[in-house]
Amino acid sequence: MYWTLELASKLEDAPWPATKEELIDYAIRSGAPLEVIENLNEMEDEGEVYESIEDIWPDYPSKDDFFFNEDEY
């Protein structure tokens, strides 16, 4: 299983909090790349609910990680 920024961004608008099955369903319905669905299928699942993409990929960058001043635009 591997995540990239591009793959993980496909789950940004998922209906959080969500279970593994809900995330897979969302990925299929939203037309996410096959790699996203494969990564979700490979996750160990004990029926837990994921609160955000950071629960799946802890290295997912937040808005604070970018040095972009939104007020300038």
Side-chain angles (χ1 to χ4, degrees), residues 18-21 43-50:
T19 63
K20 176 181 171 180
E21 289 77 23
M43 291 183 348
E44 292 182 21
D45 183 40
E46 298 174 5
E48 61 188 284
V49 175
Y50 301 97

Side-chain angles (χ1 to χ4, degrees), residues 50-68:
Y50 301 97
E51 297 294 326
S52 68
I53 187 67
E54 287 87 6
D55 289 347
I56 295 171
W57 188 40
D59 293 333
Y60 187 74
S62 67
K63 284 188 175 185
D64 296 336
D65 293 333
F66 296 102
F67 299 107
F68 180 75

Side-chain angles (χ1 to χ4, degrees), residues 1 8 10-11 17-18 22 26-27 30 33-34 36 39 42 45 53 57-58 61 68 73:
M1 174 171 63
K10 303 296 183 186
L11 295 177
E22 291 170 335
Y26 172 80
S30 66
L34 183 60
V36 173
N39 284 347
E42 289 180 19
D45 183 40
I53 187 67
W57 188 40
F68 180 75
Y73 297 94

